[in-house]
Amino acid sequence: PEPGRCAHFVLRKKRFCRMIPAPGRRFCGEHGHEEEQNDRKRIPCPLDPKHTVYEDQLQKHLKKCNSREKPKPVYFVQDINAGLKDVSEIPEKQVPLSSLSIEELQNLITRLKKASNGLELHLKEQILSHQALQEALSDPKNGESAFKHLKQQASILGNMERLHLLGPGRCFVEFGAGRGKLSHWVDIALENVESVQFLLVERATTRFKVRGYCSISKVPILEKKKLPVVGIGKHLCGAATDLALRCLIESYTTCCDGKDEEPAPKRCRAAQTEVAPHKSAGNESTTEDHKPVAGIVIALCCHHKCDWTHYVGREFFKSLGLGPVEFHYFQRMSSWATCGMQETTGKASTSEDSEDQTNDTEEHEHTLSRTAGGSDTLQGTLSVEERKELGCLCKRLIDHGRIEYLQQHGYKAALQYYTEAAVSLENVLLTAVPNPSVIPEPTI
């Protein structure tokens, strides 16, 4: 062993342990059982058997072990946004598309087209911009990747302004926030606006693990003030969109229904980093109404990561005679909307994720490449254009279930293209505002 290092030889790594033992000892605490110490015995930790502890110090260790259960934050409510509780609706085993016969596939396609009949498939273009990002958009130092990000963020803010959502006395909740770049630009746009709060919600570090347990109504500032909320998100992956919608429409709305909102605070200090207060001057809210959720603006993404358990449009699917089996196939087929376009996909997906590498390093790129090149594409059975068309139908069908969900809860909801496909292949924006607060579409 190296001088001053543990004398235990790690067979798996073919080297000595590099931990530093206590003065006068040959072995570190983890390997101290190899050293005679008055017959003290080391045992596996009951919280995590990957490490050991002296048996006579077990109780002391359990109180400080890093694997012990941590106190839950006040907004933790197990599965509050998860949706389906009856697992009997979910098939035990999902059969891959590649296992379907030609006849079964054709029958599935026929059912998809029948279910999509009458849906609004030709979306309006609402490719807008916002003054807050003009300087950044004009900065030659920004490369192509950053420019594509900025164009998307500018259009999202432009659509928020179109719906009159960039106002005072509100809390902007960014779901799938990453580094909070979208909230940053909203903050810039509202620089001189009074009484604005920000809440950034981000998943755990595990890839694709979504926040099914966040009850924003229990976040201290929102629980106290019952602020109108505007839910926003840029490329909110798959089931995360459904969790966010249920969090807003059911969790927060239910908490606030029938209660009068208090005026927003003049200034408050956020607990830790959960709520970031905007510069505030004055304590009057000029919000036009007191709806718990003033609006929703979410850029959709990765429908193939949707899940029947969390999906908010299950009743819509059932009304069409469809269920979890068909949903499974349609969400897999939704990836066909971008498959067969490897060159374009690679460029667009790289632009979507290189900016936020801290939390989302090339996530969309990896996901698209796996689904586009996998067996689900059934190469030789359908052409690239046929798969693309069917994939788009699947996306719109899944999204229409979300639209109906919002409509049933008193919102005017819509889908629109918010950026060009050359900027992002995932270029559909979901917007919703309460029906009493609907703003007429501008005449162009």
Side-chain angles (χ1 to χ4, degrees):
E2 298 177 17
R5 302 290 178 172
C6 177
H8 172 79
F9 187 78
V10 185
L11 290 175
R12 181 174 59 86
K13 297 183 178 180
K14 298 181 180 180
R15 61 168 175 78
F16 285 95
C17 174
R18 292 173 179 169
M19 298 297 290
I20 301 176
R25 305 293 184 189
R26 295 182 60 242
F27 296 89
C28 67
E30 181 62 25
H31 304 115
H33 59 280
E34 299 181 23
E35 189 170 18
E36 290 292 333
Q37 291 190 19
N38 300 324
D39 296 326
R40 294 180 71 189
K41 180 181 178 182
R42 290 189 73 88
I43 60 174
C45 172
L47 300 179
D48 182 4
K50 292 181 180 179
H51 66 272
T52 61
V53 60
Y54 284 116
E55 189 175 27
D56 57 6
Q57 292 185 339
L58 177 60
Q59 295 306 315
K60 180 180 179 181
H61 171 79
L62 293 177
K63 294 179 181 179
K64 61 181 182 180
C65 178
N66 288 333
S67 298
R68 72 189 186 281
E69 185 176 0
K70 307 296 192 302
K72 297 292 191 298
V74 293
Y75 50 80
F76 181 95
V77 180
Q78 186 69 41
D79 294 331
I80 188 171
N81 304 314
L84 186 63
K85 301 295 192 296
D86 185 5
V87 294
S88 63
E89 285 194 41
I90 305 174
E92 292 184 5
K93 187 176 181 180
Q94 305 284 14
V95 179
L97 280 169
S98 57
S99 299
L100 297 180
S101 66
I102 299 298
E103 292 75 20
E104 289 173 323
L105 177 62
Q106 290 298 335
N107 179 59
L108 195 62
I109 292 174
T110 298
R111 299 191 70 184
L112 170 63
K113 291 182 177 179
K114 181 179 178 181
S116 303
N117 187 33
L119 298 185
E120 181 56 58
L121 302 177
H122 302 287
L123 307 183
K124 291 183 179 179
E125 283 194 354
Q126 294 286 1
I127 303 175
L128 307 176
S129 190
H130 195 278
Q131 185 61 36
L133 289 94
Q134 292 310 302
E135 183 176 348
L137 285 167
S138 304
D139 189 348
K141 294 180 180 178
N142 288 319
E144 181 182 2
S145 174
F147 182 70
K148 289 181 177 181
H149 273 290
L150 292 168
K151 286 194 70 174
Q152 293 174 73
Q153 292 157 342
S155 186
I156 292 175
L157 262 68
N159 276 278
M160 292 174 67
E161 186 172 55
R162 174 177 66 87
L163 296 170
H164 293 195
L165 295 178
L166 292 176
R170 292 171 178 173
C171 179
F172 293 86
V173 182
E174 183 180 356
F175 294 91
R179 293 189 296 170
K181 298 292 288 200
L182 183 56
S183 291
H184 164 75
W185 291 115
V186 174
D187 180 58
I188 297 297
L190 298 174
E191 185 176 4
N192 298 315
V193 176
E194 299 177 347
S195 306
V196 176
Q197 303 288 330
F198 289 91
L199 173 65
L200 276 60
V201 180
E202 177 53 47
R203 67 185 178 201
T205 54
T206 305
R207 191 171 290 276
F208 298 129
K209 182 176 181 181
V210 287
R211 296 282 177 126
Y213 56 78
C214 180
S215 175
I216 61 172
S217 63
K218 295 185 180 297
V219 173
I221 187 65
L222 295 181
E223 184 177 34
K224 180 180 180 181
K225 298 299 179 181
K226 302 296 186 295
L227 297 173
V229 157
V230 177
I232 60 176
K234 176 175 174 285
H235 292 155
L236 196 55
C237 244
T241 292
D242 298 295
L243 293 174
L245 293 178
R246 191 174 285 109
C247 177
L248 292 166
I249 301 303
E250 297 182 34
S251 175
Y252 191 65
T253 300
T254 300
C255 163
C256 296
D257 272 349
K259 299 179 182 180
D260 295 329
E261 284 90 6
E262 299 177 33
K266 182 175 181 179
R267 182 179 294 273
C268 73
R269 183 179 298 275
Q272 299 179 353
T273 60
E274 292 294 338
V275 180
H278 187 278
K279 295 178 287 292
S280 171
N283 58 1
E284 293 183 1
S285 173
T286 58
T287 308
E288 294 178 1
D289 54 47
H290 294 284
K291 297 295 181 184
V293 178
I296 299 171
V297 180
I298 293 175
L300 303 173
C301 161
C302 296
H303 294 71
H304 56 278
K305 297 302 296 183
C306 291
D307 185 276
W308 178 258
T309 302
H310 305 308
Y311 182 49
V312 297
R314 290 193 304 270
E315 292 305 316
F316 165 68
F317 258 62
K318 291 177 183 177
S319 71
L320 297 173
L322 305 173
V325 174
E326 291 81 8
F327 182 84
H328 164 69
Y329 290 131
F330 293 161
Q331 55 99 202
R332 291 303 304 165
M333 290 163 62
S334 70
S335 66
W336 294 355
T338 51
C339 79
M341 305 170 66
Q342 287 83 354
E343 183 178 354
T344 305
T345 298
K347 292 179 181 178
S349 57
T350 300
S351 73
E352 288 174 11
D353 298 294
S354 58
E355 185 186 43
D356 289 331
Q357 290 184 359
T358 303
N359 293 292
D360 297 299
T361 306
E362 297 179 348
E363 173 183 306
H364 302 273
E365 181 177 5
H366 291 165
T367 305
L368 288 172
S369 62
R370 282 196 298 270
T371 55
S375 59
D376 279 359
T377 58
L378 296 172
Q379 295 181 10
T381 303
L382 299 167
S383 69
V384 169
E385 286 304 315
E386 287 174 324
R387 292 200 302 271
K388 179 181 177 183
E389 179 183 352
L390 293 171
C392 288
L393 281 182
C394 291
K395 283 176 173 284
R396 296 296 77 79
L397 187 65
I398 292 172
D399 289 339
H400 192 81
R402 293 162 167 167
I403 293 294
E404 287 220 350
Y405 169 80
L406 291 166
Q407 290 173 343
Q408 290 170 1
H409 285 82
Y411 285 79
K412 180 180 179 182
L415 300 168
Q416 51 263 308
Y417 294 119
Y418 79 102
T419 193
E420 300 89 350
V423 173
S424 173
L425 294 177
E426 299 282 16
N427 61 342
V428 173
L429 189 70
L430 170 66
T431 61
V433 291
N435 268 326
S437 306
V438 170
I439 306 300
E441 292 287 337
T443 302
I444 300 177

